[in-house]
Amino acid sequence: MNPLSYTQISMYRACPLRYKLQYIDGLKPKDKWYFSFGSTLHLCAEYFFKVKVPPPPSLDELLDFYESSWLSEGYESAEEEAKYRAYGREILTKFWEIHRTDFKIPLAVERIFNIDIEGVKLRGFIDRVDKLDSGGLSIVDYKTNEGLFTREDLERDLQLTLYQLAVQEIWYLPVERLMLYHLRSNTPCSCQPRKASQLDEARRLVLEVAENIAQERFPAIESQYCPCDFPEHCPYYRQQYMITKPEPARQGVLPGLAAAEAVEDYVLLQAQIRELKSQLEEVRQVIIDFCHAEGLNRVFGREHAITYKLVEKTGFNEGEVRALFEPEGLWNEVLSFDQSKLEQLITDEAVAGDIREKLRALRQVISTSPRLWPRRLIEEE
Ligand code: SF4
């Protein structure tokens, strides 16, 4: 099995099918401006810190490098690209002002790692590792997200956890700090290193993902970010592509076309049923109101007659039954006050005859509901 990276693990966890399409089937995702923008800024941060001896590059050198490293892919228009290009210069200017003053050469920049977790290879690049005055290490990961990170984001970030695993293996030095560096606002957000139990949990997770991949488990898991770049291969979206882009030769036989018609028919019929139900309720009420007003039990139309009755539902009053049953020790038998159980008790030989009689006498109308029975007059004749 090829080595896994954090990006692959996180993609598998979000949607195994997307992972397969991209990393096993080799489909190429579309270019996105935010990946280009993030990669350019990452390259510049690497350039700034990767000097062999201080001082770091001057601001002009950094901005020249930025211009020559600019990645244009994925921007929707020249205006959008120009806007982000200017924004990136602003970010880097601040970055330079902040970091040139207390500049220290890091222990590692864009450090590649390959580690083994019980036979599963994990591979990646760590943006920066600093050696702290205490002798411990600080892991820094640059992010170009729009919003700042919450404490929860920091404490649950799997990437930092995996990097801690790698750094501990490479240097045999304690990791004392984990940091997500928010480039857009030049804000370092740091937290304590992960505990041994959290590292174990991350190892388990890597093994679990590797096992699922080995077993070829690739279900599609839909999320708010769907559709991804491969909707034509996804069971949630593929049918849309069967309809909108059918192969001419197959158009006539595509089962999807009939299903698509059925979807529209289904929704239409549901709407019609709702409308008809509401109309039915209206005419029903007209008949009931007329019967009430005129004291009738049957109304005649041209071809049909409808019989009206007030249907009574009999049952028991809880307080009365309780008063009868409690002294006899029978109350527990109907504790949930189950009307049908009470009906059974009336004929239950195990219950004393006088109690059954009294219970029968307690049966009363507990609700009434008007019902209509239509009948076709011609058949009757
Ligand atoms: S569109 Fe389909 S394949 Fe793509 S992420 Fe969503 S569920 Fe997965």
Side-chain angles (χ1 to χ4, degrees), residues 14-18 21 219-223 225-231 233-237:
C15 175
L17 178 60
R18 184 178 173 197
L21 293 169
I221 298 179
E222 215 187 3
S223 72
Y225 304 110
C226 290
C228 65
D229 290 334
F230 319 118
H233 299 278
C234 169
Y236 289 107
Y237 295 90

Side-chain angles (χ1 to χ4, degrees), residues 248-315:
R250 294 179 63 213
Q251 268 191 36
V253 292
L254 267 181
L257 287 178
E261 286 299 318
V263 167
E264 296 309 323
D265 288 349
Y266 186 87
V267 174
L268 187 67
L269 286 169
Q270 271 194 326
Q272 287 173 348
I273 288 170
R274 271 198 301 276
E275 174 60 21
L276 285 172
K277 273 190 178 166
S278 129
Q279 285 179 18
L280 185 66
E281 185 50 38
E282 273 175 36
V283 292
R284 178 178 181 272
Q285 203 51 53
V286 169
I287 295 165
I288 291 170
D289 289 348
F290 181 70
C291 289
H292 274 193
E294 302 296 330
L296 295 171
N297 277 102
R298 182 159 298 145
V299 190
F300 292 87
R302 276 189 308 278
E303 292 182 19
H304 298 86
I306 286 183
T307 302
Y308 159 75
K309 275 187 198 163
L310 207 53
V311 176
E312 294 177 342
K313 186 175 174 200
T314 59

Side-chain angles (χ1 to χ4, degrees), residues 90-218:
E90 262 177 50
I91 293 170
L92 281 179
T93 304
K94 283 222 179 73
F95 182 88
W96 182 84
E97 283 166 3
I98 292 168
H99 296 286
R100 77 180 164 127
T101 44
D102 55 352
F103 182 79
K104 270 194 204 154
I105 293 185
L107 180 63
V109 175
E110 274 297 299
R111 168 68 197 234
I112 188 169
F113 68 85
N114 277 291
I115 60 169
D116 183 291
I117 299 176
E118 296 179 37
V120 174
K121 301 271 179 283
L122 185 68
R123 175 191 156 89
F125 289 89
I126 302 172
D127 289 339
R128 204 173 92 210
V129 182
D130 293 332
K131 186 144 187 235
L132 302 171
D133 292 341
S134 59
L137 303 180
S138 164
I139 297 171
V140 182
D141 189 45
Y142 300 120
K143 294 283 183 204
T144 45
N145 304 28
E146 202 170 343
L148 259 182
F149 317 105
T150 62
R151 171 158 292 281
E152 206 188 349
D153 292 336
L154 259 176
E155 285 170 357
R156 294 177 53 179
D157 188 89
L158 178 65
Q159 192 169 16
L160 285 174
T161 315
L162 297 178
Y163 288 179
Q164 181 176 334
L165 276 174
V167 164
Q168 286 180 178
E169 227 175 82
I170 297 170
W171 282 287
Y172 289 106
L173 282 171
V175 172
E176 290 182 359
R177 191 174 71 190
L178 301 176
M179 180 191 291
L180 292 179
Y181 189 96
H182 188 251
L183 276 165
R184 290 192 191 213
S185 63
N186 272 293
T187 309
C189 305
S190 52
C191 66
Q192 295 293 308
R194 306 291 192 243
K195 298 189 192 100
S197 59
Q198 292 170 295
L199 295 176
D200 284 344
E201 183 55 36
R203 282 192 196 93
R204 266 197 299 279
L205 200 144
V206 172
L207 292 175
E208 187 184 303
V209 169
E211 171 66 11
N212 284 334
I213 293 171
Q215 296 296 326
E216 302 189 351
R217 294 187 191 119
F218 299 117

